Amino acid sequence: MDDDMDDHPEPRDGAVVLGAGVAGLLAARVLAERFDRVTVVERDELPDSGPAFRPGVPQSRHAHVLWSKGVDLIEDLLPGTTARLLAGGAVLLDLPRDFLWLSPADWFLPVHGARALLGSRELLDRTLRGQVLRDARIRVRARCTATGLVAAADGRSVAGVELRSGERLPARLVVDATGRTSRAPDWLAALGHPVPATTRYDSRLGYSSRSYAVPPDPARRWRGMYVQGRPDSPRGGVLVPLEGDRWLATLIGNGDHAPPTAEEEFLGFARSLRSPALHDALRDAQPLSSPVGFRNTANERRHYERLEHAPDGFLVLGDAACRFNPVYGHGMTVAALAADALREELRTLSPREVPGAVRRIQRSTAAAAETAWQIATSEDLRYPQTDGPPPDRTTRIMQRYMSRVIVGANADPAVAARFFGVLSLSATPDTLLGPATMLRVLSRWRRPASPHTTPYPSHHAPPGARQDPKETA
Ligand SMILES: Cc1cc2nc3c(=O)[nH]c(=O)nc-3n(C[C@H](O)[C@H](O)[C@H](O)COP(=O)(O)OP(=O)(O)OC[C@H]3O[C@@H](n4cnc5c(N)ncnc54)[C@H](O)[C@@H]3O)c2cc1C
């Protein structure tokens, strides 16, 4: 180990986690089961008083859904988190039951699918942080930027991290969870270690989001809405409830269809979706913020799990290792799956053994991202402008089958439940290949996969055509 670090007060037996996002916080929680001291290094100032925007998580201005698998894993790691989120104003909904949801084929029926937690990303971060920091073994050093890794004297291991201030934090294990702006490949190269290969698929999806006060409407039966785009009409939008009686409207579009950030164009784009429902909901709602865009949405995997000569004592988790087109809502749930995989790996290791086990751990945490990666990349490859390796034969067959699954799920509650089980990462895709599901799916094989759809679903009449329940009572 570097001699300079010997008289530093940080215990070298501790772990250091870079980044206090969802992946970093969950990793810190798990590492505290093995290490006496876990230090989370975070570049941003962390707001104490309540949920608030911070520059390190710019995506918090856009709709975030936490699928049931993520909710359950986080609850298991940090009991009481769901109740705290609900007390803070988040809601647990059943999708598509509680949503108006136009799939790439047709509208889903209001049937049971999967639970999802909806609320602001700021509320989620603040609540998770509060829960994680109740553990006295974990502390956060805010306003500290990590700038590199520190090599151990053996040349094979990482022995700590360097901060912008020049300070060095020694650690037995360093975890990079700095998200999509991670510099870990540069840091490894600077120490003479190999850098990971990257696989990237970019469907050039753009986001634009704006919050609104929820207008009162006693006849409204839905809590949110999702109008999906599809390759022949690549514009979509989602409306999710936020705490404080707000909606967050996120418009999305691929390539030249990226949504505008000009206030006066926001509603016009919403009107151009495959259904007018989202536009109609927003038309008379009071905007609470200006539209904000986000463009850097490619799926990108850095294959740390394939590095044969990676240094001991260094792991990469969360978006820093694998990030997804956010439209599938998987990043946070995958961070929870990876934390769970890390926990499983650590069960049999002493702190001294962890640095040498990082390659195995990196493979397990990468495997936790596999289903989400398959879903996101094979769906993105339906869009002709997607950059990336072309789909292989299996992917093309799966794409065709999944189109039929969606047609089936639109009409058959049993198929819908299985489809949402997979989408929420609660079940693996092979559950859609079981004989019972296949029979149900194939029975609707002749139905068009891209039908002409009605502006509103049959279970929800358009505004104006609806009667106020008081009038019918
Ligand atoms: C537009 C958009 C919408 C999304 N929607 C969803 C959704 O609906 N559902 C879902 O599950 N996921 C969604 N995601 C993905 C989700 O936000 C991430 O997958 C999830 O937050 C895990 O990210 P992370 O913790 O790895 O990184 P982040 O959340 O990005 O956190 C990284 C942290 O590291 C800090 N940091 C960065 N560099 C340094 C440094 N050098 N030193 C110290 N600290 C540093 C940052 O300040 C930040 O706090 C979305 C993403 C985007 C971009």
Side-chain angles (χ1 to χ4, degrees):
M1 181 172 299
D2 193 319
D3 287 338
D4 284 0
M5 302 200 299
D6 274 349
D7 36 22
H8 194 277
E10 289 285 335
R12 40 158 85 159
D13 267 357
V16 169
V17 176
L18 309 177
V22 176
L25 289 171
L26 296 179
R29 159 70 189 84
V30 168
L31 291 171
E33 291 178 355
R34 273 289 164 275
F35 293 91
D36 291 339
R37 166 76 85 158
V38 180
T39 306
V40 181
V41 172
E42 168 55 48
R43 185 171 55 189
D44 278 352
E45 184 150 6
L46 295 172
D48 274 337
S49 48
F53 177 80
R54 58 188 183 85
V57 188
Q59 68 266 38
S60 71
R61 290 195 162 127
H62 304 277
H64 269 68
V65 49
L66 179 62
W67 287 108
S68 45
K69 185 69 185 176
V71 175
D72 294 345
L73 286 169
I74 291 174
E75 185 61 30
D76 189 42
L77 277 173
L78 298 161
T81 305
T82 315
R84 283 186 160 77
L85 285 163
L86 298 182
V91 288
L92 254 183
L93 300 180
D94 191 328
L95 308 187
R97 192 193 65 194
D98 302 327
F99 260 45
L100 296 188
W101 187 318
L102 179 59
S103 77
D106 210 335
W107 293 95
F108 282 110
L109 298 169
V111 295
H112 162 67
R115 284 174 305 123
L117 190 127
L118 294 155
S120 74
R121 172 65 199 264
E122 285 98 357
L123 173 68
L124 187 71
D125 272 16
R126 177 71 189 86
T127 308
L128 269 188
R129 204 159 65 237
Q131 288 284 83
V132 168
L133 294 181
R134 286 149 70 97
D135 188 330
R137 291 165 297 189
I138 305 173
R139 66 168 189 154
V140 175
R141 290 192 55 180
R143 295 184 306 276
C144 277
T145 302
T147 52
L149 301 171
V150 176
D154 64 12
R156 282 191 305 105
S157 321
V158 166
V161 60
E162 208 163 76
L163 305 182
R164 173 149 299 147
S165 60
E167 187 187 347
R168 289 170 157 203
L169 293 184
R172 195 176 279 283
L173 177 72
V174 174
V175 175
D176 175 24
T178 56
R180 29 190 72 217
T181 60
S182 164
R183 305 275 318 278
D186 298 341
W187 295 349
L188 286 174
L191 296 189
H193 294 297
V195 297
T198 298
T199 310
R200 186 181 159 92
Y201 291 91
D202 189 357
S203 70
R204 298 197 293 125
L205 188 79
Y207 267 51
S208 179
S209 300
R210 186 174 202 190
S211 63
Y212 289 83
V214 178
D217 177 1
R220 190 184 301 121
R221 293 284 169 267
W222 48 265
R223 302 293 305 279
M225 185 183 299
Y226 188 13
V227 177
Q228 285 188 261
R230 63 187 190 198
D232 65 354
S233 178
R235 294 182 175 202
V238 61
L239 192 66
V240 295
L242 298 185
E243 65 277 8
D245 225 5
R246 293 173 295 155
W247 277 334
L248 183 59
T250 291
L251 301 178
I252 48 193
N254 296 73
D256 298 339
H257 292 273
T261 52
E263 291 193 3
E264 61 282 8
E265 294 171 21
F266 196 81
L267 269 185
F269 187 95
R271 197 171 32 230
S272 72
L273 308 189
R274 290 170 57 221
S275 156
L278 202 143
H279 165 265
D280 295 348
L282 294 181
R283 192 180 41 210
D284 300 321
Q286 172 68 38
L288 299 175
S289 68
S290 299
V292 186
F294 197 100
R295 289 294 175 87
N296 183 10
T297 57
N299 302 286
E300 190 174 281
R301 201 163 195 185
R302 291 173 171 171
H303 295 283
Y304 291 99
E305 78 284 2
R306 292 188 193 159
L307 285 178
E308 280 185 18
H309 302 290
D312 287 356
F314 182 58
L315 263 182
V316 186
L317 296 178
D319 284 11
C322 185
R323 62 186 171 99
F324 308 92
N325 178 343
V327 77
Y328 309 102
H330 283 155
M332 298 188 296
T333 297
V334 169
L337 283 163
D340 191 51
L342 173 65
R343 192 185 204 190
E344 206 45 49
E345 290 289 347
L346 291 183
R347 257 185 229 289
T348 55
L349 297 171
S350 72
R352 281 185 178 282
E353 291 169 318
V354 174
V358 287
R359 272 175 293 286
R360 203 181 72 209
I361 300 174
Q362 194 75 71
R363 282 197 292 273
S364 300
T365 54
E370 196 52 44
T371 297
W373 179 257
Q374 275 173 19
I375 292 175
T377 56
S378 71
E379 286 303 308
D380 278 4
L381 279 168
R382 292 180 189 273
Y383 290 81
Q385 75 274 25
T386 298
D387 290 332
D392 56 17
R393 191 158 173 269
T394 317
T395 306
R396 284 199 304 272
I397 292 170
M398 276 314 285
Q399 283 174 334
R400 276 205 290 280
Y401 181 65
M402 284 311 295
S403 298
R404 310 313 312 175
V405 168
I406 292 172
V407 171
N410 287 157
D412 180 340
V415 179
R418 277 174 214 146
F419 170 74
F420 278 93
V422 174
L423 187 63
S424 63
L425 303 180
S426 297
T428 51
D430 54 13
T431 55
L432 295 170
L433 298 172
T437 311
M438 272 189 137
L439 268 179
R440 286 172 176 272
V441 167
L442 297 181
S443 71
R444 294 173 203 277
W445 195 260
R446 284 173 188 282
R447 289 199 183 190
S450 302
H452 182 71
T453 46
T454 53
Y456 277 83
S458 57
H459 58 273
H460 183 85
R466 274 184 280 144
Q467 275 190 309
D468 189 321
K470 279 182 262 153
E471 288 170 25
T472 50

